[in-house]
Structures are given as C-alpha cells and as structure tokens.
C-alpha cells in the first residue's frame, strides 16, 4: 500500500488521519462547550447565553412534556411539503424556460424582478392569504425553495452544450430520452447545487412564517421562549433546527453521490493521486 | 467497389450557405457546392481554416439549414435533422454521465434494437475500439485517445448510412493521431461504411481517402476533387512509401500552394 506510493513520507494510513481529524474536532467542540459552561453566570449573565447543562435539562423537560415533539412535527410537516414541491417545481420551470426561448424571452425580466423582492418580506402576505395554520408556512418555504432551484437549473440550461443535444438527436433520441438521458444529466451539477443551497432556506422559510403568526411550530416555540427570557429553551429549538438541516443535508449528499457518480469518481481519483 | 451512379448515397446539389452577421452583412460560407458520395467511399474534405468544410458536414447532418440548393441522402431530401448519419465531432463529446458501454449503446437504444442484438453489437464495437475492460468506466476516466475511439465507435455502432467526421484527430498529438488513423482504417476495412472526413492536414487527407475534396477559402467552393490511387489496406506508418501517395500529395500541395499565393499566406492561416 504505502510501499508503492510515490511519496511515502506524506503517506499515512487513512484511518490514522481520520482519527486525528476527529480528535482535533472533538477537542475543539468540547472546549467550546466547556468555555460556554464556565462563562455562563461568571463572566456573562446566565439569562443571556444560558449554558450547555441548562440546555440539556430544558431539553429533557420539553421532550418529556411532548411540547418539543409537537412543535417539531409541525415545522417538519411544513418543510416536508414545501421543500419537495418547491424544488421540483423550480427545477421543472427552469428546465422548461431553458428549453423554450420564447418563454424565456417573455418571462425572464419578470422573474428577475421578482427575484429582487426579498422573499421573506412576502411571508406576511402568505399569512393573510393562507391563514395562520401550516399552509402559510408551506407557502413561504415553497417560494424560497422554488426560486433557488429555478435559478440554478435555468443557469445550467443556459450553459448546456448544444453539441450533446445535437448528437443525441442525430442518434435518434426521442423527447423522453433527450430530456432524461441527456439534458437533465448534463444540467444535474447545477440542479444539485440549487437543491442543496435551498435546504437551509426551507428551514428559514418555515421559521420566518412561524415568527410572524402561528400557534405552534419550532419558530413559535423559540419566539415564545425568548419573549419570557427562557434562553435555554431557545437554544433547544435552535439545536433541533440544526439537526433538521444536518439530516436534510445527509439525504441530499446521498442523492448527490448517486446522481453525480460520474463526476465524483473522477474527482476522488485526482485528489488521491 | 463499383462506381455506378445508382450507388450514390449522398448527393450535394448546388448548395449554398450564407450566415447573417450582426451588422446585417451576409457572409457567404459556401457557394455552389455539388458533390456525389458513393456507397462505401472514404472521402476527405480539406481546405484552409474558415473555408466552410465543417459547415458542409453540418449541412449534411441537417444541423444547419441550407441557404440554397438541396442535399439528397439515400434518395430523400434532407429537411431538418438527418438521422441516417453518424456524427463524430471535433472533441470526443462522449456523454460524461454515461459509461463507455452506455455511450456506445446510445444510438442502438434509440433505434429499437433487441436486447440481445444490442448487447452483442455493443460488445463487438467496444472490442473493435480496444476498450474491452473499460465498459463500466466513465469518460472522465479515459485517456484522450481512448475517448476518441469510443466516440468513433459510438457513431459506427448503430449502422448509420454515412459517418461524418469533423476533424476528429485535430487536437491530438502526432503519435496518437497516427495510431488512431491506423485504427480507424482497420475498423473501416471491416464494415466499409461511407465516411466523410473533414481535416486540414494534407497527409491525413491523402492517407485515409479514396477521394480528396479540396475547398477554397471563403466563400467556400470546391476547387478540385483528387482520386487517390493507393491500394488498401494501407499502412499509415509507412504511408510515404506506398505507391501513389507522392503523386496524390504533390497534386494536392500544388493546388494549395496556388491557393495560398493567391490569397496571401498570412491571411489564409487565420483560424476560425
């Protein structure tokens, strides 16, 4: 293994390097929490920053009472509906616009103008239109996710190499094969980028909606807790949101690895070599 | 090979092509081109950069629309995309998201071959291209020469009437180029598909062809068509020693020298 490597001095077993990296990361994160714990109540007022131990206790309490689960479930539903619908609609619209020059010519300025609107500013409107239940939040999630996916897909369609399309058509590809075997795979790196960047924005959308008007959900829970200075509860809410984003990213990574297999393989070969 | 007129697969009949530039000028790319290509013939097209030789094969493929004249492929006028041709572009342009096998199979899948015939043909052409063992690789994992060979057999695999090649060996180094020319001829000897091959390399043009079409600088016209009398199979690596090569090459060079003097060497060398 390492004996036939060209530069043996820099080669060390992969597990050893991984162990080192994990150890350093662990000490860094652990040190941060330790510092936080020590600082709380000594150097900084406890009600401002709470402390890891208090957050843990708060977590156990709201978990046992079922409050956390209920609110998490509501926010999860909003994202679970708004995100995939927004992503698929955005990708589809980007694709359609990329395929039709007429559509692009007509609607591109309008969409760019809409893009200029800070979309979170639309959240109050969604409350007016769709009420204070989950559907207004689904709407905000949808609009944030839609635009990111649309713009990335459309940018990819503009970069599409016409020669691939020509070749496929000369080889007799019908519309279906042209779309799914040629154009979408060619644009997939752009689509994946849009899809992945829209993940945290879907959570932002749900929380923003809940901040404005809601009776349940993690955003509602965080805002209510902050209103009465229950800082520990605020951090519990934030931690759950972080976990949601991390889990969504994990799923997106799996999708990316599958869809862009043809790319990552060659990259890893180059990086290792 | 018989040269009877009913053997003609492609008939380019008085074809012109003008491009509209931004300032409403019309630039003539091709003017009054007429050319007949016979079944099983290997025709090369040479000319200086910007003479419209690539445009000519794009017209035959139906990728670009005609400004005048007509092109007849197997008795049918070409309108829109010509799916009877196989096209090998300048760069390999393998679909990078498909494996070598899937790339070679692409044209077969689109044309409704049965599963067993498909697999058999794919395997056959992968072997022919010397890519056995690389079936599951992605194009990014191939060398330039391998990608080029895969690109060529991808066009051959589904048995199109005519293969169009647009300077396929242009960007390669001299050695790889020669090896690929040799392999192309060997593959072609098997099947004898009709090939129209665009190049700017005079040696390549003579070495590969039955006939060499010489084009002039903008607007592109056919200056001459030279028949190469060399026998087949040919040895690319010692092509200079084969009887007939020198005469054909000298003839070609004469035309070119004339062309360069006329248009002034410096301007004729400007790329497109």
């Amino acid at each position: 293994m390492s004996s036939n490597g060209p530069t043996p001095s820099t080669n060390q077993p992969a597990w050893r390097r991984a162990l080192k990296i994990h150890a350093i990361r662990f000490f860094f994160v652990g040190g941060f929490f330790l510092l936080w714990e020590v600082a709380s109540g000594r150097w900084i007022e406890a009600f401002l920053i709470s402390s890891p131990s208090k957050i843990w206790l708060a977590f156990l309490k709201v978990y046992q009472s079922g409050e956390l689960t209920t609110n998490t479930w509501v926010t999860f539903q909003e994202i679970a509906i708004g995100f995939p619908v927004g992503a698929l609609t955005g990708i589809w619209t980007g694709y359609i616009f990329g395929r039709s020059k007429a559509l692009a010519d007509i609607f591109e300025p309008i969409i760019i103008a809409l893009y200029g609107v800070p979309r979170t500013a639309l959240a109050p409107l969604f409350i007016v239109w769709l009420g204070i239940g989950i559907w207004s939040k689904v709407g905000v999630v949808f609009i944030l996710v839609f635009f990111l996916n649309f713009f990335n897909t459309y940018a990819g369609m503009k970069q599409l190499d016409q020669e691939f399309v020509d070749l496929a058509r000369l080889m007799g590809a019908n519309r279906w094969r042209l779309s799914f075997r040629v154009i979408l795979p060619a644009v997939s790196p752009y689509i994946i980028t849009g899809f992945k960047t829209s993940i945290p924005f879907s959570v932002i959308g749900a929380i923003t909606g809940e901040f404005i008007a809601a009776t349940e959900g993690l955003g509602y829970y965080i805002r209510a807790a902050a209103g009465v200075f229950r800082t520990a509860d605020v951090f519990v809410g934030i931690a759950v949101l972080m976990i949601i984003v991390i889990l969504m990213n994990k799923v997106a990574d799996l999708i990316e690895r599958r869809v862009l297999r043809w790319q990552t393989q060659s990259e890893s070969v180059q990086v290792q070599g | 090979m018989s040269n009877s007129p009913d053997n003609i697969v492609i008939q380019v009949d008085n074809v012109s092509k003008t491009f509209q530039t931004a300032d409403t000028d019309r630039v003539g790319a091709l003017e009054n081109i007429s050319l007949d290509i016979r079944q099983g013939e290997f025709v090369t097209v040479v000319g200086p950069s910007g003479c419209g030789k690539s445009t000519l094969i794009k017209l035959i493929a139906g990728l670009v629309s005609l400004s005048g004249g007509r092109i007849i492929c197997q008795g049918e006028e070409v309108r829109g995309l010509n799916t009877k041709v196989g096209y090998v572009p300048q760069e390999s342009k393998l679909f990078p998201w498909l494996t070598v096998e899937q790339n070679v199979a692409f044209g077969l899948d689109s044309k409704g071959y049965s599963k067993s015939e498909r697999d058999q043909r794919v395997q056959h052409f992968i072997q022919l291209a010397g890519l056995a063992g690389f079936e599951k690789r992605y194009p990014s994992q191939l060398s330039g020469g391998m990608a080029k060979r895969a690109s060529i057999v991808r066009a051959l695999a589904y048995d199109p009437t005519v293969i169009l090649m647009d300077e396929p060996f242009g960007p390669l180094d001299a050695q790889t180029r020669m090896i690929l020319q040799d392999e192309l001829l060997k593959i072609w000897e098997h099947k004898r598909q009709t090939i129209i091959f665009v190049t700017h390399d005079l040696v390549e043009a003579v070495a590969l062809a039955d006939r060499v079409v010489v084009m002039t600088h903008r607007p592109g016209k056919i200056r001459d068509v030279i028949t190469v009398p060399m026998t087949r199979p040919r040895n690319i690596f010692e092509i200079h020693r084969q009887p007939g090569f020198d005469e054909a090459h000298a003839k070609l060079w004469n035309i070119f020298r004339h062309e360069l003097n006329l248009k002034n060497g410096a301007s004729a060398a400007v790329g497109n």
Side-chain angles (χ1 to χ4, degrees):
Chain A
M1 282 186 270
S2 64
S3 60
N4 55 19
T7 50
S9 60
T10 57
N11 273 353
Q12 49 179 334
W15 65 268
R16 216 155 154 198
R17 200 180 121 76
L19 190 72
K20 228 184 212 166
I21 284 173
H22 278 92
I24 293 169
R25 189 184 294 154
F26 179 80
F27 279 115
F28 191 79
V29 174
F32 173 77
F33 280 113
L34 196 69
L35 193 69
W36 188 355
E37 188 70 44
V38 172
S40 170
R42 283 191 186 79
W43 306 324
I44 305 172
E45 292 282 8
F47 80 90
L48 290 178
I49 60 163
S50 190
S51 74
S53 59
K54 285 191 191 122
I55 294 168
W56 175 246
L57 292 175
F59 165 75
L60 290 178
K61 210 176 111 204
V62 284
Y63 177 70
Q64 274 154 7
S65 74
E67 199 184 341
L68 187 64
T69 319
T70 319
N71 287 314
T72 305
W73 173 239
V74 170
T75 304
F76 174 79
Q77 277 176 295
E78 292 159 4
I79 296 168
I81 300 167
F83 180 76
V85 175
L88 287 177
T89 322
I91 292 166
W92 185 75
T93 317
Y95 173 78
I96 296 292
F97 274 51
R99 291 294 281 153
S100 160
K101 193 165 153 35
L103 268 183
D105 285 347
I106 297 166
F107 289 107
E108 203 185 75
I110 302 173
I111 295 218
I112 288 177
L114 282 179
Y115 189 67
V117 176
R119 267 141 291 142
T120 44
L122 296 174
L125 267 184
F126 279 98
I127 309 276
V128 173
W129 293 338
L130 299 168
I132 62 164
I134 70 162
W135 291 104
S136 52
K137 286 79 181 178
V138 170
V140 183
V141 173
F142 172 86
I143 207 80
L144 289 181
V145 171
F146 170 84
F147 273 100
L148 283 166
N149 280 280
F150 167 77
F151 272 100
N152 278 283
T153 307
Y154 185 51
M157 291 296 290
K158 281 182 160 175
Q159 300 291 315
L160 177 65
D161 188 339
Q162 187 58 36
E163 209 154 23
F164 283 139
V165 178
D166 289 344
L167 274 165
R169 290 177 61 209
L170 281 176
M171 286 191 267
N174 56 22
R175 288 179 78 91
W176 181 265
R177 279 180 66 77
L178 194 60
S179 301
F180 289 96
R181 277 302 250 185
V182 180
I183 297 175
L184 286 173
V187 181
S188 60
Y190 288 85
I191 297 177
I192 291 288
T193 305
F195 185 79
K196 287 185 83 176
T197 35
S198 67
I199 287 173
F201 282 89
S202 68
V203 178
I204 290 171
I207 298 304
T208 309
E210 289 169 357
F211 277 176
I212 293 167
T215 53
E216 48 189 354
L218 282 170
Y220 163 79
Y221 164 81
I222 287 171
R223 193 165 161 248
V228 293
F229 294 103
R230 276 161 46 207
T231 324
D233 289 307
V234 173
F235 279 111
V236 171
I238 291 171
V240 174
L241 291 177
M242 275 173 68
I243 290 166
I244 292 177
V245 173
I246 289 168
L247 289 179
M248 285 173 80
N249 272 326
K250 287 276 180 220
V251 174
D253 282 343
L254 286 178
I255 296 173
E256 180 181 20
R257 217 169 299 158
R258 171 126 190 80
V259 173
L260 299 185
R261 196 172 23 181
W262 50 280
Q263 247 190 2
T264 42
Q265 260 193 10
S266 60
E267 249 168 50
S268 69
V269 169
Q270 276 163 14
V271 171
Q272 301 294 326
Chain B
M1 262 194 299
S2 72
N3 288 346
S4 60
D6 48 325
N7 253 349
I8 287 167
V9 258
I10 291 208
Q11 203 181 338
V12 179
D13 183 12
N14 202 23
V15 160
S16 302
K17 175 69 191 172
T18 51
F19 285 107
Q20 190 91 40
T21 55
D23 41 359
T24 68
D25 278 357
R26 292 189 147 263
V27 177
L30 293 174
E31 224 174 78
N32 307 92
I33 303 275
S34 290
L35 180 66
D36 289 344
I37 310 281
R38 288 184 285 268
Q39 175 76 46
E41 204 178 14
F42 199 134
V43 174
T44 53
V45 181
V46 275
S49 295
C51 72
K53 50 195 193 300
S54 292
T55 308
L56 178 62
I57 62 168
K58 288 206 168 93
L59 288 170
I60 295 172
L63 293 171
V64 175
S65 62
L66 295 165
S67 305
R70 53 184 195 152
I71 292 172
I72 293 160
C73 180
Q74 277 193 319
E76 271 177 61
E77 193 170 338
V78 175
R79 286 199 187 84
L81 221 58
N82 183 0
T83 50
K84 288 176 188 153
V85 303
Y87 184 69
V88 182
Q90 243 170 67
E91 292 150 53
S92 303
K93 292 287 170 175
L94 292 170
F95 301 123
W97 51 89
L98 299 180
T99 60
V100 170
E101 201 172 50
Q102 289 168 326
N103 265 289
V104 174
F106 194 95
L108 299 168
D109 291 340
S110 300
K111 298 216 163 153
Y113 282 79
S114 72
K115 174 98 176 71
S116 64
E117 196 184 352
R118 170 199 184 272
D119 293 346
Q120 208 186 327
R121 285 187 79 91
V122 169
Q123 204 43 49
H124 170 71
F125 278 98
I126 282 177
Q127 301 241 309
L128 210 56
L131 291 167
F134 291 89
E135 290 92 341
K136 307 283 181 216
R137 296 282 187 100
Y138 286 97
S140 57
Q141 298 166 308
L142 302 180
S143 70
M146 288 163 95
K148 190 55 81 181
R149 293 198 297 258
S151 167
I152 290 169
V153 293
R154 176 177 63 172
L156 292 167
Y158 61 96
D159 235 348
T161 315
V162 180
I163 319 275
L164 306 171
M165 298 190 170
D166 188 0
E167 300 194 38
F169 304 147
L172 299 169
D173 62 90
Q175 281 86 346
T176 313
R177 220 180 143 95
M178 244 195 227
I179 293 165
L180 286 173
Q181 287 166 355
D182 178 59
E183 281 168 354
L184 174 62
L185 282 187
K186 278 181 187 145
I187 293 170
W188 180 74
E189 296 285 352
H190 267 258
K191 288 253 149 195
R192 294 271 178 156
Q193 274 161 310
T194 314
I195 295 184
I196 304 177
F197 186 108
V198 166
T199 177
H200 56 249
D201 181 335
L202 302 189
V203 175
E204 181 171 78
V206 174
L208 299 176
D210 296 318
R211 285 193 299 158
V212 183
V213 176
V214 188
M215 290 182 64
T216 60
H217 205 259
R218 222 171 256 278
K221 291 182 186 171
I222 293 183
R223 175 67 206 273
D224 212 340
V225 178
I226 294 170
T227 305
V228 180
M230 281 188 286
T231 53
R232 294 190 187 269
R234 297 176 186 170
N235 181 357
I236 287 288
F237 302 101
E238 295 189 348
I239 197 78
H240 293 269
R241 293 194 200 163
Q242 258 177 268
F245 177 84
D246 280 340
E247 294 92 295
H249 187 264
K251 222 169 169 184
L252 193 57
W253 176 237
N254 247 331
I255 299 167
F256 256 79
R257 196 171 48 192
H258 193 62
E259 198 52 32
L260 293 174
N261 283 342
L262 221 91
K263 301 274 178 189
N264 221 333
S267 72
V270 173
N272 49 354

